[in-house]
Amino acid sequence: MTNRKQKRKPEPPPKSEVPKVQHSPGGIKGRWLVNSLSFVLVILAVVVILISVGVSGYYYATVRDNLASRAATTSDTFRKYFTDTYDQFYTQAEATVTTFQDQDKFEQQFLDANGRILLSTSGLSGGGVASTEDASQALSGRKTAVFTGRDPLSGERVMSVTAPLLSARGDLVGGVRYITSLRIVERQIWMIVGFSLLACLLFLMLVVASNSYFIRSIVDPVLKINTIAKEIAAGRYGVRLQKTYDDEIGELCDTINYMSDEISRAERMKNDFISSVSHELRTPLTAIGGWSETLLAGGGEDPEEVMQGLTIIQKEAGRLTRMVEELLDFARIESGRMKLEIETFDMSIELYEAVYMYENLLKKSGIRLLYDEDVDANYYINGDRHRMKQVFLNILDNAAKYGGDGKQIDIDLKRDGGNIVASVRDYGQGIPEAELPFVKEKFYKGSSKQRGSGIGLAVTEEIVSMHGGTLDIASEVGKGTTVTVTMPSAKSEEALGITGAISKAPETPFTEGEHS
């Protein structure tokens, strides 16, 4: 019986690690309005309260001070001149009530020592007791007293002030009392509060209107960005946003447009790459399959034909191998799995071996190869010697493929301060200026009709970058292309510490006068 290991289901992340998504009714607009209006409402409520308290306090204080001033004046006048006898007091009080000029605003009353009303401008008399407590407080305490509230008799809100009337000897004779209705005062207070509320309401409406306009200027572009993002996610690459404002939202629109263009271009490049790779794979496979069928069908009787078929099969198989290696390197780079075997080595050896491998092939194609190197210089670097050889092979292959019609390739190796510079120049048709910034990007082939996967230079640049170097391409249409690899040289002590003899591959004759 076979025991099968059951796969363990992945455990869900702890609840504490799951980000909590808060519900947002109304979206950004709802949150903005709630937050801003809540703050504004609190401020307006505080303003209305302060206005109400301040206005009511001011009006009440004005009325109170007016009544208290009248009561004090009357009290002082009676104490000085009209309190020697009760008859004198009563006669003067009666005269004062009769000649009182502000009956439409106030009521004036004179009280006896027990708080009973003796005389009143309203005609109220006959010994009735004052209805509010200010009278009893003033007479008992012999100090001016104030009352604000509802009159028990009329039910109306009033303010009354009572001042004691004392004789010259200090004896209590009675009191003078002033009463006024608060109806007009409170009406004015409510009018001011109402105007304040109306002003606050208008201000609130302006805030809502301005916020709504401002929110629309944010939310509407965000909604459009969301729509465009969904279209891009659905595969409609290349769609663009219309920028309205030159601000952060406008910058985001530019970024989305740039992203859309880049994705569209990458998608086109990917499709071109798939088409190109399909074609590149089909061609050698067709050649290999055709010659295999020819040889199997009896084409092996002619030795020359057999050698020709095997040569083609070997050549196309090698091309397939190189393509597969490029694809594997590209996959390793994209996934971050490309590793370098770092050591200190002489870069001139790897360049020379690459030149040596291409020398015969270029000679058969009628391409002259000029190689220039200062044999006395030190070309040690820290890196992966096999990957650096791959770099030079890719560059030479491109020079032969795209610049071979110039029939000459120049290779130069030199030191430049702390760097080692290797350059490969061809004299072909060159690269158009508009295509030059993109030639190192993956899948890019430009207007060239030459066969290739479009990832060789991308892999080459990545390898050079991993070594801390740079890959530069300069080109001019009709004059050729120069590819320059600049690598940081190894420290002198590292180079001197290498053990074992290192020599270049055996020299083979280049075209006459071409190697120095």
Side-chain angles (χ1 to χ4, degrees), residues 32 108 147 229 244 271-272 281 326 333 352 392-393 427 507:
W32 183 284
Q108 185 184 52
F147 170 80
T244 305
N271 293 334
D272 293 342
L281 291 175
E326 282 186 353
I333 291 173
Y352 189 90
F392 296 131
L393 289 174
Y427 294 85
E507 290 192 7

Side-chain angles (χ1 to χ4, degrees), residues 174-191:
V176 60
R177 183 168 177 250
Y178 287 89
I179 307 170
T180 185
S181 173
L182 296 178
R183 183 176 64 254
I184 297 177
V185 173
E186 292 181 344
R187 182 186 302 159
Q188 292 177 335
I189 292 174
W190 280 113
M191 287 179 62

Side-chain angles (χ1 to χ4, degrees), residues 325-340:
E325 287 295 330
E326 282 186 353
L327 292 174
L328 288 175
D329 286 339
F330 175 73
R332 293 189 189 101
I333 291 173
E334 289 294 296
S335 62
R337 292 184 291 108
M338 176 174 278
K339 305 296 182 183
L340 299 179

Side-chain angles (χ1 to χ4, degrees), residues 126 142 205 225 265 279 370 472 493:
R142 297 191 179 188
M205 293 173 62
I225 291 173
R265 190 167 63 86
H279 176 72
L370 301 179
D472 300 307
E493 58 269 17

Side-chain angles (χ1 to χ4, degrees), residues 341 343 345 350 383-391:
E341 296 180 4
E343 59 178 318
F345 65 94
E350 308 309 318
D384 189 323
R385 65 170 65 240
H386 302 294
R387 290 297 180 184
M388 287 307 302
K389 183 185 291 184
Q390 178 184 351
V391 166

Side-chain angles (χ1 to χ4, degrees), residues 6 52 164-165 195 206 222 254 335 343 391 395 410 420 424:
Q6 296 183 352
S52 302
L165 297 177
F195 281 124
L206 289 176
V222 169
D254 290 339
S335 62
E343 59 178 318
V391 166
I395 295 174
D410 296 338
I420 298 174
V424 178

